[in-house]
Amino acid sequence: MKKTVLSGNEAIARGAFEAGVKVAAAYPGTPSTEILENLVSYQGIDASWSPNEKVALEVGIGASFGGVRTLVTMKHVGVNVAADPLFTLSYTGVRGGLVLVTADDPELHSSQNEQDNRNYAKFAKVPMFEPADSQEALEFTRLAFAVSEQFDTPVMLRTTTRISHSKSVVTLGEPLTGLPEPSLSRNPAKLVMLPGNARPLHHTVEKRITDLEEWSSRQPWTRVEEYGGKIGVITAGISYQYAREVMPDADILKLGMVYPLPKAAIRAFAANYETLYVLEELDPFIEEQVRAMGINVQGKDIFPLCGELTPGRVHDALTGEHAPLAHSVDEPLPNRPPNMCPGCPHRGVFYALNRLKAYVTGDIGCYTLGFMPPLSAMDTCVCMGASIGMATGISKVLTEEDRAKVVAVIGDSTFLHTGINGLMDMVYNRSTATVIILDNSITAMTGRQDNPGSGFNLAGDGTYQVNIEALCAAVGVKHIQVIDPYHLEQTKDVIQAEMHRPEVSVIITRRPCMLVKRDNLESKPPLFVDSDKCTACRACLKIGCPAIEWNPEAGTKGQAQVNELLCVGCKVCMELCKFDAFGVVDDE
Amino acid sequence: MNDKVTNILLVGVGGQGTLLASEILTEVLMLAGYDVKKAEVHGMAQRGGSVVSHVRFGRKVHSAIIPEGEADILFGFELLETYRYLPLLGANGKVLANDLKIMPLPVATGKERYPAGLAEKISAQVPQSRIVNGLQLAIQAGNDRTVNTVLLGTLATLLDIDLDLWRQAIKKLVPEKFCVVNLKAFETGLTVGF
């Protein structure tokens, strides 16, 4: 069989292909995004971006009810959005196997919280697999489809960033053939969840979990590994790797299915050890259930509850000390925070909001970086789509003067995800806040995925493009303006005027993401700073462009310089300079 | 093959192409028959922030993350980032770094200063260190966008792996139209050596 190196996400896509998946749906979200981006390249699979995770799961449910195997993927917080269909899908069960991937992000590498979605498996009463490397990501994806159909249940597959974005060697399998053909099949007692139908299904769900719990103890993914016989560790997922790395002599009960737990296997394993650990990231999910079985274990009393585990953190928790390091850095170093790209169309908008001293309810996207200095123009960020509802809420309680300062900002993809509902409420309940839709025609932060507003689908084919201004007009917004955020003065003037309007207004700042190459945008020559004209006023530094660098050694008081390798020639800085010090390189 | 796991930590700035370099390295190690793992983070971290890739290889690798203080080679694409991650290097570790400064935001906006003398500070702490001017070498090789491949060539002289596997991996992972210039850059890096 062919060996290759795959990330966890690539392996899940491969596993889904091998399992005979026909339909896949998702909303992009780090660290889950690459699963569908890879899956779309396999022949015969309908893979698509949905406007949000709830729609993605509903598309998946429909395809499953039509009789095909279906994959739905999202990041951990995406499951919050998809929770509504998930909890009732647990009752209906499936027709074609349905697997929901939740990609969790311990350590919040690129997220707003680090919730532990193993709790969803228990809450929704659905089985959950957790792979420990890319090989298992592939195999467990295949297995999850088989279990889904065998037990008539959706199955969750949980990864974490270190599984999704780590690569390891994988042996590929052969794709399954001979799966049932899709068809219409009416079964209202199973698929129409009214109280009379759902009540008996609750009993089915409870029995299913008991059956799975008993069955899972006897499956090969519930595995005892013996290395020394003195210490026992119960673990799963990435934590298994850290147990092997840091405690090479400990015996291990490696779990593949983390819900329901294989209680018989756990009881049998635990009986052999006086010292028994549960090693897991985030919540004491396994630990609490093991303790509830009357088994005494060590877990979160020594291992950290917050953040991801690392070999070092596990070692320190076990030994109570930090191993001395051979090398050190003894001086404070400047941080290197992420920043909007040179030429990013969002930059000028946040500069204007900063100058206008707006109170900005923010949202999730590249533009959340508008929070960072020197732009420093974001006051809240909670979840996808929240900015508009929050602007409505805070406007309700403020004085007229303060109310005029409230501005909601939201990206095009986030607006179409869940922002539109907030806008309906804003108009319906006669709020007065201002909404800025930062329309760069792409879902940028996750790596530039298409969305219903971009005019292209996941496969890269042209499709219908949502008309955002018409959509806003349709929900009742009377004041809608579309502006180019590269025009700094106009941007500031329009925002200022709309902030003072005692009615809902929407400003669409429209310019494509700098990283989208589709439009064959002419590349523009970089700028330079004329050292005879630069007076060291530092006005240009206030937009935080990565291409403008302060050189403290230049001139008598220091001077700004343009890094020609980074500058894309957007000229926003030119508008800031009162001394006409910026020039275009080609014009010299 | 003994049980020793070798650890290479790649560090740089988002947008420098360090992810492709770690991709090529991982491919080479797999072709050489090793168990290999690579860990990195996408998303927020790529927007001009500090970027880290962990690559580990040996007979059997467990954690994809390199245990703190156990990196055998610190492979830096930018000086400040190389210096920042020095504590992760083992006692007998080696440093291969690109002689390049990219101003982080607090420096570019004049709030802080880029630390002086980093190359010297690195060399003072790590006897086995080599700092090369990747850009100059890439230009010498014929294309200023092949800096990372030049550096990979120099890295190759530190690892006991058939050079043809490197060329094979470059051919597989670099877009076809840039293949020839990158192969040439790789040879330049080899010639420079550690």
Side-chain angles (χ1 to χ4, degrees), chain B:
Chain B
M1 214 180 277
N2 61 23
D3 282 349
K4 156 81 180 143
V5 170
T6 303
N7 303 317
I8 304 177
L9 189 74
L10 296 87
V11 300
V13 177
Q16 271 194 293
T18 56
L19 298 189
L20 177 61
S22 67
E23 199 84 342
I24 292 171
L25 175 60
T26 307
E27 180 76 15
V28 170
L29 294 165
M30 185 207 66
L31 291 173
Y34 289 107
D35 187 27
V36 54
K37 285 190 178 173
K38 172 174 91 139
E40 63 204 14
V41 171
H42 307 172
M44 184 72 95
Q46 281 173 289
R47 297 284 174 274
S50 178
V51 174
V52 183
S53 272
H54 302 245
V55 176
R56 311 189 72 201
F57 66 98
R59 195 177 59 78
K60 176 74 191 163
V61 179
H62 297 295
S63 166
I65 302 176
I66 300 170
E68 206 182 349
E70 290 185 24
D72 296 290
I73 300 172
L74 175 58
F75 186 20
F77 293 79
E78 197 271 351
L79 283 175
L80 174 57
E81 294 315 307
T82 309
Y83 188 57
R84 192 191 304 282
Y85 287 97
L86 212 53
L88 271 59
L89 188 68
N92 299 312
K94 297 173 180 150
V95 172
L96 168 60
N98 186 20
D99 189 5
L100 174 75
K101 294 177 189 170
I102 300 177
M103 304 296 146
L105 194 61
V107 174
T109 55
K111 300 280 182 220
E112 293 180 48
R113 288 205 169 206
Y114 195 96
L118 287 182
E120 295 74 22
K121 284 175 186 166
I122 293 166
S123 306
Q125 277 206 43
V126 186
Q128 297 189 84
S129 60
R130 179 93 161 89
I131 291 161
V132 297
N133 189 327
L135 182 61
Q136 200 175 38
L137 291 164
I139 293 169
Q140 201 179 308
N143 189 314
D144 61 1
R145 304 196 62 177
T146 59
V147 175
N148 294 357
T149 318
V150 170
L151 296 169
L152 280 173
T154 305
L155 179 73
T157 64
L158 286 175
L159 303 173
D160 184 19
I161 293 170
D162 183 355
L163 294 176
D164 274 337
L165 299 180
W166 286 90
R167 297 182 185 110
Q168 202 177 317
I170 290 169
K171 280 182 204 156
K172 182 180 165 188
L173 293 168
V174 171
E176 208 181 330
K177 57 178 173 176
F178 301 117
C179 228
V180 175
V181 289
N182 276 283
L183 286 170
K184 197 159 171 237
F186 179 73
E187 301 302 327
T188 305
L190 276 180
T191 317
V192 169
F194 190 78

Side-chain angles (χ1 to χ4, degrees), chain A residues 325-375:
Chain A
L325 297 172
H327 303 285
S328 61
V329 171
D330 299 325
E331 60 187 299
L333 298 179
N335 284 331
R336 194 182 296 275
N339 187 7
M340 292 172 193
C341 304
C344 175
H346 301 328
R347 179 168 281 110
V349 178
F350 285 93
Y351 173 79
L353 288 167
N354 175 308
R355 297 276 103 180
L356 293 167
K357 298 189 168 49
Y359 183 92
V360 179
T361 59
D363 221 298
I364 310 276
C366 287
Y367 52 91
T368 315
L369 294 171
F371 158 78
M372 307 286 294
L375 295 171

